[in-house]
Structure formats: structure tokens, C-alpha cells
């Protein structure tokens, strides 16, 4: 994520902080120096916010470790002022996996709250029985008050995240449960629709009560839901479309004895960015536009294309879905792959080709959906 930097690496996952995160520390300092009417309060506020974000990080690690147990790569965890995000290579394929991954986050906060209750012991019971609210001595800067605030924060994290509004954990759990009965595409439409209705309700409540942080959260939920809806729709498209229908069948190719000057002719007269180097019909390697330009700049002689080509090319079978192809290319960190029909080389496909196919197919799908929407009642909110 742009504007964030790494602060730690836990279980091979980068933990990053977004620059805007520092706003929340300043806010904490201000708020608690106000509550406690002291400078010590400012340090208390900063300390509390830091501890709170340790809890948020543990929450995200909960999601991440369960996801990894199901074979889903976790790229990084980023801490933002409104909370954390674990960035995963893909969404889970099975509803049960999504349910468990989503539940793991709030469960971590339940465990933390349990530990804090155990540590605070009798104090928790007294404060609850006296009905003074959860935090007995809210304006103090004592260590036990700190733990009480942290307990309250963990309880709110559990309650807030379990609201069944996509993309909150509760919304993901709802989607997973619905998907077990209805399949992912329909479950996503319903869950994101519910998420947007709840977001609007939270937003209106926030505006009426001048709680602007709540309004901001509502906006975040609303757009998160619509983004997920689009992503799910495109995933349907990417799953059904095969890589064998996407590669360029009319691509210009090079043969083993060709020289760089030969490719420059192609580059000047076509938009093709990558060229397969063949021996007969067998693929030897790939030459990209950048490599040709570099060879022209650095080499004085007219080199053979075999001298500058990449020999390692990711192989894919033609019946692989675009979604799996994209995942494979992203995790291998390459932008070109060779498409095969068993042992026969067919052509090259690039990440740009996949993105383009995906944009076109999504557009066509949307037109089809719009035509079919009359009379359809699936709870999707169209705004
Ligand atoms: Zn979560």
C-alpha cells in the first residue's frame, strides 16, 4: 500500500504502518490530556493507542495465520488510523475457509479480553456490579485504568467487527454462510447489499449525532462493499474464462537464428510488447520490448535474440482459468507466461492481456446483468 513503511516482520508477514497512522497517536494524546486534565494524560493516550494497535495487529495476524493454513498467501498487514488490513493474494475458494478466516480475527480480541479480565480480576466484577460503566476510574492515568480502557477497546473491536456489514468480519461471515447455500456470486450480492444498507444507517446516525468518525467508518464500509461486489463479479468472469481463449493467436514470433535488428522492425511496426523465440514450434525463450531497447543501447554488434532472451518462462495449460493464471503469475512475480496444450506451445499471455480481457468481459457481463435485472429480487442495492 502506498505511503506505508515496514515496522516489523512477524511469521514472514510484513507489518506496515501507514503515515496517516500518526494522526491517531496525536488524537490519543489530545483526547487523554483533555480527559485527565494533565500532561501525563497525553502520554497515557499515546500508550493506549499503541497498545490498541498491538491488539489490532494480533487481530489481523489471527486472520492471516488461518488464511495461510488454508494455503492463501498473506502479503502484508497494514495499520491505518481506522484499523488494520491484511492483504491476501486471493479470496478463499471455500465458504468454510472464509468463515474461519473471518472469525479468527474477532476471536483473538475475545482471547485478549479474557486475559485482561483475568488480570484485572475482582475489579471487573465490582465495576460491573456497581453499574459505574466498565471503566471505574476513567480519568486516572493508572496502569489498571489503562488495562480497563484496553479491555473496553477489545470488547468494542469484537462487537464492531461482528456487525454483518461487508467488508467487516461479520459481513464476511454472513457471506460465507450464505455462500454455503447460494454460491459465492449470489451470496456476495446479498451480503454487500446488506452491508450498504447498514452503512447508510450508521452514516445517518453519525450525522444526526455529530459523530464524524462514525460517518467516515460508514463511508469506508459503503465503498468497501461496492468494491467487493465488483471484485466478486469480475472473479466470476475470470473463473469461467480460460487462458487458452486469451493468448494472442496472431502474435509475431522469432526463430532461433534471428537477430535483434529483426525485432526492431517488428517493434517499429506493431504494438506487440513481447516476442516468443522458437525453434520450429518449440519455445526457447521470450524477448521483451525493454530487453530489445536495452540491447540496442548497450551493444554495438547486432546480437542474436537467443543471447538476450529470458529462458525461464512460466508454463500454463490452456484450460487454466484467468483467475488461477493471474494468481500464479502474481505469486511467481512474472508478467509473461507461455500457454500450452499438453506439450504443444500455443502462445504468450501477459498480465496486461489478462487485465484487458477482464475489463472487456466485466463490461459485457454488466451489460448482460443490466438487461436481466428486470424482475430480479436478490437484495442487491443499486445506487
Ligand atoms: Zn478482522
Amino acid at each position: 500500500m502506498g505511503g506505508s513503511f515496514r515496522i516489523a516482520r512477524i511469521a514472514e508477514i510484513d507489518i506496515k504502518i501507514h503515515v496517516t497512522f500518526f494522526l491517531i497517536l496525536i488524537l490519543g494524546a489530545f483526547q487523554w490530556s483533555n480527559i485527565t486534565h494533565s500532561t501525563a494524560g497525553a502520554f497515557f493516550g499515546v500508550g493506549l493507542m499503541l497498545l490498541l494497535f498491538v491488539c489490532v495487529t494480533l487481530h489481523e495476524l489471527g486472520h492471516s495465520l488461518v488464511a495461510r493454513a488454508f494455503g492463501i498467501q498473506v502479503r502484508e498487514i497494514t495499520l491505518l488510523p481506522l484499523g488494520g488490513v491484511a492483504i491476501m493474494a486471493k479470496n478463499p475458494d471455500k465458504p468454510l475457509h472464509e468463515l474461519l478466516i473471518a472469525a479468527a480475527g474477532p476471536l483473538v480480541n475475545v482471547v485478549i479480553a479474557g486475559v485482561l479480565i483475568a488480570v484485572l480480576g475482582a475489579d471487573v466484577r465490582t465495576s460491573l456490579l456497581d453499574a459505574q460503566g466498565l471503566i471505574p476510574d476513567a480519568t486516572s492515568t493508572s496502569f489498571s485504568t489503562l488495562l480497563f480502557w484496553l479491555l473496553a477497546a477489545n470488547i468494542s473491536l469484537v462487537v464492531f467487527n461482528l456487525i454483518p456489514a461487508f467488508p467487516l468480519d461479520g459481513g464476511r461471515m454472513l457471506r460465507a454462510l450464505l455462500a454455503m447455500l447460494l454460491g459465492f456470486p449470489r451470496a456476495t450480492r446479498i451480503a454487500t447489499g446488506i452491508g450498504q444498507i447498514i452503512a447508510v444507517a450508521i452514516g445517518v446516525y453519525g450525522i444526526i449525532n455529530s459523530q464524524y468518525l462514525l460517518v467516515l467508518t460508514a463511508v469506508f464500509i459503503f465503498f468497501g462493499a461496492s468494491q467487493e461486489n465488483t471484485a466478486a463479479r469480475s472473479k466470476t468472469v475470470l473463473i469461467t474464462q480460460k487462458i487458452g481463449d486469451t493468448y494472442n493467436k496472431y502474435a509475431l514470433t522469432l526463430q532461433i537464428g534471428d537477430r535483434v535488428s529483426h525485432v526492431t522492425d517488428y517493434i517499429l511496426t506493431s504494438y506487440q510488447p513481447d516476442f516468443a523465440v522458437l525453434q520450429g514450434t518449440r519455445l526457447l525463450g521470450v524477448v521483451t520490448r525493454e530487453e530489445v531497447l536495452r540491447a540496442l543501447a548497450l551493444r554495438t554488434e547486432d546480437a542474436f535474440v537467443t543471447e538476450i532472451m529470458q529462458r525461464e518462462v512460466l508454463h500454463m495449460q490452456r484450460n487454466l482459468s484467468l483467475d488461477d493464471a493471474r494468481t500464479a503469475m502474481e505469486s511467481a512475480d512474472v508478467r509473461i507466461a507461455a500457454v500450452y496444450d499438453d506439450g504443444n506451445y500455443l502462445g504468450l499471455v501477459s498480465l496486461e492481456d489478462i487485465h484487458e480481457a477482464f475489463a472487456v468481459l466485466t463490461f459485457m457481463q454488466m451489460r448482460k446483468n443490466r438487461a436481466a435485472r428486470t424482475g430480479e429480487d436478490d437484495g442487491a442495492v443499486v445506487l
Side-chain angles (χ1 to χ4, degrees), residues 258-305:
D258 287 340
R259 290 180 184 270
V260 170
S261 58
H262 191 84
V263 201
T264 49
D265 288 343
Y266 282 169
I267 288 180
L268 290 172
T269 53
S270 81
Y271 288 112
Q272 194 177 316
D274 315 303
F275 300 86
V277 181
L278 306 177
Q279 181 170 36
T281 56
R282 199 168 66 87
L283 180 74
L284 297 177
V286 174
V287 172
T288 66
R289 193 177 271 259
E290 291 76 50
E291 280 152 2
V292 172
L293 295 177
R294 202 179 312 134
L296 287 175
L298 300 177
R299 290 169 181 252
T300 45
E301 85 289 2
D302 190 7
F304 284 108
V305 286

Side-chain angles (χ1 to χ4, degrees), residues 59-60 63 84 102 105-106 161 168-169:
H59 171 111
E60 297 304 330
H63 290 309
N161 276 299
L168 299 180
D169 297 333

Side-chain angles (χ1 to χ4, degrees), residues 53-182:
F53 270 82
V54 169
C55 296
V56 171
T57 307
L58 292 173
H59 171 111
E60 297 304 330
L61 276 173
H63 290 309
S64 306
L65 296 181
V66 175
R68 206 155 62 182
F70 294 132
I72 298 170
Q73 267 188 39
V74 181
R75 298 222 180 92
E76 61 179 64
I77 291 172
T78 302
L79 301 175
L80 299 158
L82 281 179
V85 257
I87 299 170
M88 300 184 185
K90 58 172 194 154
N91 273 328
D93 299 324
K94 296 200 175 82
L96 181 66
H97 291 182
E98 176 166 54
L99 183 67
L100 296 176
I101 293 169
L107 191 66
V108 168
N109 299 107
V110 170
V111 171
I112 297 173
V115 171
L116 287 169
I117 289 173
V119 171
L120 289 165
D123 289 353
V124 178
R125 241 166 296 140
T126 329
S127 69
L128 284 179
L129 286 177
D130 293 356
Q132 319 164 325
L134 181 65
I135 301 158
D137 200 3
T139 57
S140 127
T141 51
S142 73
F143 186 61
S144 85
T145 303
L146 185 75
L147 295 186
F148 264 113
W149 276 112
L150 209 55
L151 173 60
N154 273 285
I155 293 172
S156 339
L157 273 176
V158 174
V159 173
F160 176 73
N161 276 299
L162 289 182
I163 296 173
F166 216 96
L168 299 180
D169 297 333
R172 290 186 187 278
M173 290 161 77
L174 173 69
R175 196 254 300 255
L177 289 171
L178 289 171
M180 288 174 188
L181 303 168
L182 307 170

